Amino acid sequence: MRRSIATLLLTGALIPQAALADTAALDVAAPFEIKGADPVLSGDIFLKMDVMETLVNADSSGALLPGLADGWTVSADKLVWKFHIRQGVQFHDGSALTAEAAAFALNRSKAKEGILAKAPINAITAEGTDVVITLSEPFAALPAFLAEYRTGILAPSAYAADGSVTAVIGTGAFRVTKLEPPMTLEAERFDAYWGGAAKVPAVHYTSATRAETRALMAEAGDAELVVNLDPASVTRLQSVADVTVHSVAMPRVLLLKLNTALPFFDTVEERQALSLAIDRAGLAQAVLRYPAAASQLLPPAVGGWHNAALPPLDHDPEAAKAAFAAAGWLPGADGILEKDGQRFTVELLTYPDRPELPLTAAVLEQLFREVGIAVTINATNSSEIPAKHAAGTLQMALFARNFGLVPDPVGTFMQDYAPGGDWGAMGWENDAFTAAVRKMAAEGGSDAEKSALAATLQAELPVLPIAWYQQTAAVSHSVKGIIIDPYERTYGLKSAEFAE
């Protein structure tokens, strides 16, 4: 299962020895840092590591399934939902999962501006074995919201008096024994797990932000599962005999976010011109190393949200120059566009957690320079994107947005574009679009209605789609049963086992 960690020293990134020392553990390496014990901060990691669960689950196609709630109903007026709590479930501290405990956790999440704060919820209470959620208006997307990681259920003992989370005490197949943000999570098998005891005795998570470090961990056998590989690592690991590289399409999109309140991007024509400057096919092949150019916001796999009738986003730098000129942007002495005495110079914010982002930013800098735009790249913490959005100082940002965190993408659209959230459109409002998204969240929507919303985003381009992601992961032949989930909810650890 494990041979040597000496090769890790070549990268200059020291991984804690404790995170790699236990040969009985199944080790996972990923680029994402653990930000704290609260599910609102790091629930995505806790969910994938099978230490925490949600009331509602979802399969690999995004279809909703029972989770800690084994069923749910809604009243005739669509205002009262009842989620029946699965009986016989224990938290890791030995206490029983009850409707009261689940309601307590959900209320804490809602108070912390988790995703439930986006839903029209009047009250979350317990009634016998049911969690009862009372709404101010119909909201058909509620079960999908309860599958999102920020609604993870922890035991009452996990919370301090002020509502802060002091420990990860969940109901999953593994019980946390060590949590050392930002790098390390260790957990042991929880034999009282309601779904049956896991087959491996322990699991470890290590945050290794450098792609080459993670690749070396896979190659050396220091991690049985390594996720989010960069293209160079994929090529390298495909020649390693005892590792298999997997890739699955997923509803994650590489996006360029624009502050449409700025004079650079405040018209549709300017945003369309900027889009024409982007060589999506060449960029995807060169940086991501697979043909994943985004012809529109969401890929074909995301149901009715992909509108096959839309003309694809094109690359035509000469047309981009002409469109900018028509909008009043003309080249100055050094070739940089100018208008009314203002130079077209912008900051592009991104972050290195995903190795493809700085590379993509560098390519975009060159593509935009060809049409007369000067870009300064600022690779910093991902938290700077929502912070600068809130402050109104963000100009452009390059990031990856997962439209599958809520299994129904309408949940993400509500956060980002109706009218806007700090990871979505900035300075862009469309009242008809907002009303349509909210109606769909309340009542559900047809594929035709979803396609119409996709057409609006394609026409107005409040954000510029660049590429559709594939999830790439290296799995050691020493384990079997690992799942590469396109919705990134699970690694399959509770059913994985070491090979004979």
Side-chain angles (χ1 to χ4, degrees), residues 268 272 295-298 304-311 313 413 428 430 433 447-462:
V268 171
Q272 290 172 339
S295 62
Q296 58 185 276
L297 182 60
L298 292 179
W305 292 100
H306 179 88
N307 186 340
L310 290 176
L313 297 170
F413 275 93
W428 176 80
N430 181 311
F433 184 92
D447 284 355
E449 290 171 314
K450 295 172 184 176
S451 293
L453 293 177
T456 298
L457 293 175
Q458 188 86 336
E460 299 198 15
L461 292 176

Side-chain angles (χ1 to χ4, degrees), residues 115-121 137-142 144-145 150 305 401 403 406 408-425 428 433-444 453 457:
I115 192 169
L116 294 183
K118 308 291 185 180
I121 295 174
E137 60 187 69
F139 190 64
L142 181 62
F145 272 42
R150 286 175 289 181
W305 292 100
R401 186 61 165 155
F403 287 86
V406 179
D408 184 343
V410 73
T412 305
F413 275 93
M414 276 195 66
Q415 295 178 74
D416 290 0
Y417 304 101
D422 52 17
W423 286 100
W428 176 80
F433 184 92
T434 297
V437 169
R438 289 179 175 174
K439 180 177 181 291
M440 190 176 297
E443 303 173 6
L453 293 177
L457 293 175

Side-chain angles (χ1 to χ4, degrees), residues 54-58 64-69 72 83 143-144 146-148 489:
T54 50
L55 289 192
V56 179
N57 205 349
L64 300 182
L65 300 171
L68 292 180
W72 51 89
F83 294 84
L146 291 174
E148 206 250 15
R489 292 183 57 84

Side-chain angles (χ1 to χ4, degrees), residues 350-375:
T350 193
Y351 49 94
D353 298 27
R354 291 185 171 277
E356 72 279 4
L357 294 182
L359 293 174
T360 300
V363 174
L364 289 175
E365 178 188 18
Q366 297 177 36
L367 292 172
F368 292 156
R369 182 63 180 81
E370 290 177 10
V371 299
I373 300 170
V375 172

Side-chain angles (χ1 to χ4, degrees), residues 91-93 95 101 104-105 153-159 167-171:
F91 287 109
H92 297 150
D93 62 1
S95 64
F104 181 85
I153 305 300
L154 299 184
S157 61
Y159 298 87
V168 182
I169 306 173
T171 59

Side-chain angles (χ1 to χ4, degrees), residues 3-46:
R3 293 175 296 194
S4 168
I5 64 168
T7 52
L8 294 177
L9 299 177
L10 297 176
T11 68
L14 298 178
I15 303 299
Q17 296 283 337
L20 300 170
D22 188 348
T23 58
L26 192 162
D27 282 272
V28 177
F32 311 113
E33 293 186 343
I34 301 167
K35 298 176 183 176
D38 197 320
V40 170
L41 299 175
S42 296
D44 55 335
I45 296 172
F46 304 152

